[in-house]
Amino acid sequence: MARYIRLYWMMWIQGIQAQIEYKSSFIIGNVATILGQVTGIALVWVLFQKIGHLNGWSLPEIMLIYGIAALPYGFFELFFNGVWSLNRYIRMGDFDRLLVRPGSSLFFILADQPMLHGLGNIATGTVIILLASRQLDIRWDMCNLLILGFMVAWGTLIYISINTITACTSFWFVASGTNFLYLGQRFRDFTVYPLDIYASPLRILLTWVIPFAFTSFFPSTYFLDRDDYRVFVYLIPVIAVLFFGIASFVWRIGVNRYESTGS
Amino acid sequence: MSSSPPPIISVRNLTKEYKIARRTEGFIGAVKYLFSRKYDTVRAVDRVSFDIYPGELVGYIGKNGAGKSTTIKMLTGVLVPTQGEVKVNGIVPYRDRTKNGQNIGVVFGQRTQMKWDIPVIESFRLMKEIYQIPPDIYKQNMEIFCDVLDIGSLLAKPVRKLSLGQRMKCDLAIAFLHNPKIIYLDEPTIGLDILVKENIRSFIKTMNAERNTTVILTTHDLNDIDSICQRAIIIDSGKIVYDGSIDAIKARFGTHKVLHIEVKDNLRQGDEVVQLPAGVTVQEFGEHRIKLHLNKEAASLAEVIQTLIEQYNIVDISIEDVSIESIVKQIYQEGWHE
């Protein structure tokens, strides 16, 4: 384990080093991410000038969900975004190189391409959380910070799992590119709002199938003292571990099915 | 043979089949392809068996699409065989990739293990971590590689700034960095100039001699095989057509010579060389040049030259051994009959 952490750290630093080589791309990526988040929250704000609340949820409450949603997403991008390059690896035949190394190929691919613009998501998320907390009177004492930290960590693991599973489609359909990843990621857009505004099929989907609700909405209910969702809060680590187990299993099947390129 | 160690690589009836979607042409074909797919099964590797012993230098030869790379990929654990068994140092490679990875070094010709945008040395440091190479071995190997492969001055450069030859030397060094028992080299000299080729060949031979590293090499450049390997396995359409020593190939074809003759006469296409003894074939004829292939066992060299002198006004004659390339071509075409 210690070996993997050291190794990971080294790969991450090198990945960042490679990205900083292209300064403009780094700056544009982050500015775009921050602008994207700001327009997203501005839209919510505009909406709330017309309506007082959304299915009983106030603007600051929704801002809190919005902000918390940005954190695990940002950490995923910043640290484990590599699964997005799996398709390119397979298409170019470069995946071979990872398979001949001692160690988990999933590990090597996850650490491959950190995206620095994850920082943009983490930064805007934090600001939005702080703005919301002022109005909601949430204190970020040691205990709350620790709990939030754990929730973000589990949320990041859920992101890893969902993205790994969708990325694995490349083992079967190389030509699909990153379409399945985009498709999976689209469901993320729903989870910046309270889950109970959706009809039950979508609720079930976001809870049990593509469990993004455990990365934003359920964690937020804890800080909003919504005890009716408490059982889902306890389920966060269970869901994270379960889905990571599924992701590892799908990965293993995919790798054994992998056919490499012609030459 | 009872005293020889057990094989380090053991392959039995190894087979790999690919399913290839069948496409028909045109728009209708494309639409059909979208909805229903029929597959053709192609056997890239067909019941291949061999043993390789520690310290052997083996050339794995074949045309494009003969099944070379597919075999190497099954040996390295990249691909799962359709049928048959493969054991490398007692491990089934695709079942235990981690353990197998520690025992092997691989160079996939055109692909680099290094990260494109950062200095070369960073990739070496990463490999040190990945393979958990002890500091003293790392230091010792880096010294040897910098010396033999002359890569010391490249370490601070970003990989994308290296020439192909420089990159290949670095990749080769990375493959040997953790003192692997077995090295797989898939087209290691492709596209390189002769000096770099020579450098790489002598490096491989040195490592083999000093560390008893087993080397399996695929290449299109038969000079690689000639200068590095003792044994050749020739594969065609997924099947082994020859497995034996390079020397046996040479002995078999050593009596074959190629004659290049330059003449003053203006030769015209269609004119034939008359009265040549049996066992001689004309390979080129035109301008002022004639190229003949002859088997000394069937035809006397002196007799052939005599015939030519009587017929033509000869400027120059040179006699060469048959290249391994044409030998291999001949084995492909005719098989190896004892």
Side-chain angles (χ1 to χ4, degrees):
Chain A
M1 191 63 193
R3 173 195 167 221
Y4 272 113
I5 292 171
R6 224 179 31 243
L7 190 54
Y8 179 83
W9 184 242
M10 200 163 176
M11 293 178 75
W12 188 78
I13 296 276
Q14 292 191 354
I16 296 296
Q17 232 177 316
Q19 263 189 60
I20 291 177
E21 283 277 306
Y22 303 96
K23 268 193 206 93
S24 53
S25 149
F26 162 62
I27 294 166
I28 293 168
N30 269 300
V31 169
T33 309
I34 292 172
L35 282 179
Q37 290 284 11
V38 170
T39 36
I41 198 74
L43 209 66
V44 177
W45 185 80
V46 168
L47 196 69
F48 268 83
Q49 302 311 303
K50 299 280 174 201
I51 56 169
H53 60 87
L54 188 61
N55 205 19
W57 300 85
S58 70
L59 176 61
E61 284 175 328
I62 289 186
M63 280 169 67
L64 184 77
I65 301 171
Y66 201 100
I68 287 181
L71 293 185
Y73 180 46
F75 278 104
F76 166 75
E77 284 188 308
L78 188 56
F79 291 106
F80 305 104
N81 200 62
V83 278
W84 279 73
S85 36
L86 177 66
N87 187 267
R88 182 170 45 84
Y89 266 83
I90 292 177
R91 247 182 316 113
M92 310 298 281
D94 278 326
F95 192 60
D96 296 3
R97 303 193 285 105
L98 302 186
L99 284 179
V100 299
R101 288 180 181 173
S104 150
S105 51
L106 179 56
F107 169 82
F108 286 121
I109 199 93
L110 278 171
D112 182 66
Q113 287 242 304
M115 291 302 267
L116 267 181
H117 65 231
L119 279 177
N121 276 323
I122 295 169
T124 34
T126 310
V127 170
I128 294 170
I129 291 172
L130 289 176
L131 288 174
S133 320
R134 266 228 316 253
Q135 296 180 54
L136 294 167
D137 207 25
I138 298 171
R139 286 238 178 121
W140 292 105
D141 55 15
M142 219 38 201
C143 178
N144 268 352
L145 274 180
L146 216 62
I147 290 171
L148 180 67
F150 274 116
M151 285 173 171
V152 170
W154 292 120
T156 309
L157 190 61
I158 291 173
Y159 268 95
I160 292 174
S161 310
I162 293 172
N163 281 287
T164 300
I165 294 168
T166 47
C168 277
T169 51
S170 289
F171 287 121
W172 284 268
F173 317 103
V174 188
S176 71
T178 46
N179 288 334
F180 283 97
L181 278 150
Y182 277 111
L183 183 67
Q185 206 70 277
R186 284 267 69 86
F187 285 95
R188 196 193 91 79
D189 298 347
F190 291 109
T191 59
V192 297
Y193 301 109
L195 194 65
D196 62 4
I197 66 170
Y198 303 118
S200 69
L202 194 53
R203 277 210 305 264
I204 291 167
L205 186 77
L206 292 170
T207 309
W208 306 114
V209 185
I210 312 170
F212 278 129
F214 287 93
T215 68
S216 58
F217 177 68
F218 294 135
S220 309
T221 61
Y222 174 82
F223 300 105
L224 295 171
D225 290 323
R226 289 285 300 257
D227 291 341
D228 44 337
Y229 287 109
R230 198 45 55 87
V231 64
F232 290 99
V233 174
Y234 295 137
L235 273 177
I236 294 172
V238 179
I239 290 290
V241 170
L242 178 73
F243 273 79
F244 186 67
I246 295 171
S248 312
F249 180 68
V250 175
W251 179 266
R252 195 146 29 160
I253 295 175
V255 167
N256 284 335
R257 204 199 165 278
Y258 170 63
E259 290 204 330
S260 191
T261 49
S263 111
Chain B
M1 289 299 277
S2 59
S3 65
S4 67
I8 192 159
I9 296 176
S10 179
V11 168
R12 291 290 172 275
N13 294 317
L14 195 63
T15 300
K16 180 73 189 177
E17 287 174 351
Y18 291 111
K19 274 186 181 167
I20 295 178
R22 201 187 300 166
R23 309 185 78 139
T24 37
E25 286 186 12
F27 177 72
I28 302 220
V31 174
K32 268 191 197 159
Y33 179 72
L34 212 55
F35 293 105
S36 84
R37 290 189 186 184
K38 284 182 179 151
Y39 290 97
D40 290 324
T41 306
V42 176
R43 273 203 172 183
V45 174
D46 192 1
R47 283 164 293 162
V48 159
S49 301
F50 54 79
D51 284 324
I52 291 172
Y53 293 88
E56 270 198 291
L57 295 157
V58 180
Y60 202 65
I61 311 171
K63 291 180 284 195
N64 277 331
K68 289 176 304 204
S69 289
T70 305
T71 312
I72 298 288
K73 281 171 186 170
M74 286 191 280
L75 294 178
T76 50
V78 170
L79 291 179
V80 180
T82 312
Q83 269 170 47
E85 287 163 38
V86 51
K87 266 204 170 155
V88 176
N89 206 34
I91 296 165
V92 179
Y94 63 92
R95 272 201 209 120
D96 199 345
R97 290 192 172 95
T98 297
K99 234 179 185 173
N100 184 56
Q102 197 69 42
N103 293 331
I104 65 170
V106 187
V107 175
F108 290 118
Q110 304 285 35
R111 287 166 198 135
T112 178
Q113 279 283 357
M114 297 181 286
K115 214 165 168 60
W116 204 240
D117 290 313
I118 56 174
V120 173
I121 185 70
E122 297 293 333
S123 293
F124 279 86
R125 288 179 52 226
L126 182 63
M127 292 304 154
K128 175 177 182 273
E129 208 61 49
I130 289 179
Y131 290 94
Q132 296 178 284
I133 304 169
D136 51 326
I137 291 183
Y138 177 75
K139 194 163 163 271
Q140 187 195 353
N141 278 350
M142 285 305 276
E143 275 165 18
I144 296 173
F145 300 160
C146 285
D147 187 39
V148 181
L149 286 170
D150 194 27
I151 55 172
S153 61
L154 307 176
L155 296 178
K157 289 189 187 172
V159 176
R160 70 183 130 87
K161 297 225 166 117
L162 302 186
S163 71
L164 184 61
Q166 291 172 329
R167 212 175 74 204
M168 183 50 71
K169 290 204 275 185
C170 293
D171 267 312
L172 203 59
I174 280 180
F176 276 97
L177 194 61
H178 60 289
N179 291 349
K181 294 192 176 84
I182 305 156
I183 283 275
Y184 300 96
L185 305 167
D186 198 357
E187 305 278 359
T189 60
I190 195 162
L192 305 182
D193 68 58
I194 189 73
L195 282 177
V196 179
K197 279 185 183 178
E198 289 293 344
N199 191 196
I200 285 178
R201 287 170 192 158
S202 77
F203 174 72
I204 295 168
K205 280 191 280 189
T206 309
M207 296 306 283
N208 168 264
E210 283 176 7
R211 304 188 174 173
N212 204 36
T213 313
T214 308
V215 178
I216 290 125
L217 170 81
T218 79
T219 181
H220 275 107
D221 185 344
L222 291 148
N223 293 319
D224 287 346
I225 306 276
D226 200 12
S227 75
I228 299 171
C229 305
Q230 302 131 354
R231 174 179 166 194
I233 297 176
I234 302 177
I235 182 170
D236 192 34
S237 308
K239 292 194 174 86
I240 291 179
V241 292
Y242 175 78
D243 180 359
S245 72
I246 303 274
D247 289 342
I249 299 179
K250 283 185 174 167
R252 167 85 179 263
F253 291 91
T255 58
H256 293 232
K257 300 283 176 191
V258 175
L259 266 69
H260 295 273
I261 303 115
E262 202 184 314
V263 296
K264 266 194 186 149
D265 318 55
N266 201 359
L267 304 174
R268 272 172 300 155
Q269 293 282 334
D271 287 357
E272 276 307 321
V273 196
V274 286
Q275 288 175 324
L276 279 176
V280 182
T281 52
V282 182
Q283 292 193 328
E284 272 174 49
F285 186 83
E287 296 291 296
H288 296 276
R289 296 162 48 80
I290 304 171
K291 188 177 165 195
L292 299 177
H293 180 273
L294 93 164
N295 183 352
K296 282 201 295 182
E297 279 176 350
S300 138
L301 191 56
E303 200 180 309
V304 172
I305 293 173
Q306 185 63 41
T307 315
L308 291 166
I309 288 173
E310 283 165 9
Q311 244 185 316
Y312 301 107
N313 203 344
I314 292 176
V315 180
D316 191 24
I317 292 185
S318 68
I319 303 166
E320 276 175 14
D321 289 335
V322 173
S323 70
I324 293 197
E325 187 139 28
S326 53
I327 293 173
V328 168
K329 203 189 278 172
Q330 209 160 333
I331 297 176
Y332 283 156
Q333 284 162 358
E334 297 161 17
W336 179 274
H337 309 290
E338 288 302 333

